Amino acid sequence: MIGLRLVAAHPDKFERVAAGNTMLPTGDHDPGEGFRKWQKFSQETPQFNVAGTIKSGTTTTLSQAVLDAYDAPFPDESYKEGARQFPILVPTTPDDPASENNRAAWGVLSKWNKPFITLFSDSDPVTGGGDRIMQKLIPGTKGQNHTTITNGGHFLQEDQGETLAELLLKFINDNPKAQ
């Protein structure tokens, strides 16, 4: 969501866009049970387990070293407020203060003619289907090799990092920077 808003705010700074397991919600549609549970959990759990959140969004088993790395920036609960607040920054009702900014971003993206690819996973309960919406609404998606990556959860970079990197490199090579 942050990245797509950044692209819309500064379209001249981007030659091409790859979107994976993301969306730009306006609150006009139900975000789904998985997302609502994440929001509720982020606000109500007394101990916000960052590594546990990552682990629950993957389809593969993460090593203890990887989980420890996700926890490393958060030595105690006082460091986790940003992680706790992010879920409630996502608009879930049409009158949410962030809804208008996301609608404005959609206005820019609906005219985006530069290369835009979707690389979503097959097992993300939060953003599943977002790729089809982007492919329908963003002109730059036409003719791109959109891929649904198998055996990937929400944190695609953890589950299928090498596959994701290969697809990104192919997208970059297939869509060279304009001179």
Side-chain angles (χ1 to χ4, degrees):
M1 183 174 88
I2 294 169
L4 292 173
R5 290 251 306 260
L6 187 63
V7 168
H10 304 282
D12 56 314
K13 296 188 185 293
F14 297 89
E15 291 288 327
R16 56 184 98 68
V17 175
N21 290 355
T22 189
M23 198 47 186
L24 195 56
T26 60
D28 296 313
H29 304 284
D30 182 3
E33 183 180 356
F35 184 80
R36 286 191 307 277
K37 282 183 178 180
W38 181 47
Q39 276 188 321
K40 182 176 168 127
F41 169 80
S42 74
Q43 301 306 294
E44 295 179 0
T45 188
Q47 298 290 315
F48 190 79
N49 183 342
V50 174
T53 299
I54 301 298
K55 185 178 177 179
S56 71
T58 60
T59 60
T60 57
T61 301
L62 302 178
S63 71
Q64 190 59 50
V66 168
L67 295 172
D68 290 346
Y70 276 109
D71 278 335
F74 310 102
D76 65 49
E77 287 300 307
S78 68
Y79 290 84
K80 299 177 184 177
E81 280 309 306
R84 282 183 178 273
Q85 295 310 307
F86 182 72
I88 61 172
L89 295 175
V90 178
T92 56
T93 60
D95 60 343
D96 186 289
S99 293
E100 283 308 310
N101 290 330
N102 284 2
R103 284 187 191 97
W106 272 116
V108 173
L109 293 173
S110 69
K111 297 176 184 86
W112 184 270
N113 287 303
K114 296 177 194 175
F116 192 114
I117 194 170
T118 58
L119 303 170
F120 279 54
S121 65
D122 63 346
S123 299
D124 182 2
V126 178
T127 63
D131 52 343
R132 291 186 301 277
I133 293 168
M134 289 181 198
Q135 291 167 27
K136 179 180 177 183
L137 299 176
I138 301 172
T141 62
K142 305 299 182 259
Q144 296 300 327
N145 189 22
H146 305 286
T147 303
T148 299
I149 301 171
T150 57
N151 301 317
H154 183 67
F155 298 104
L156 188 52
Q157 74 280 5
E158 291 297 346
D159 290 322
Q160 296 297 329
E162 287 184 26
T163 299
L164 180 60
E166 289 169 8
L167 291 167
L168 288 169
L169 288 172
K170 181 169 178 14
F171 172 62
I172 291 167
N173 290 331
D174 289 350
N175 297 278
K177 184 176 176 179
Q179 297 299 326

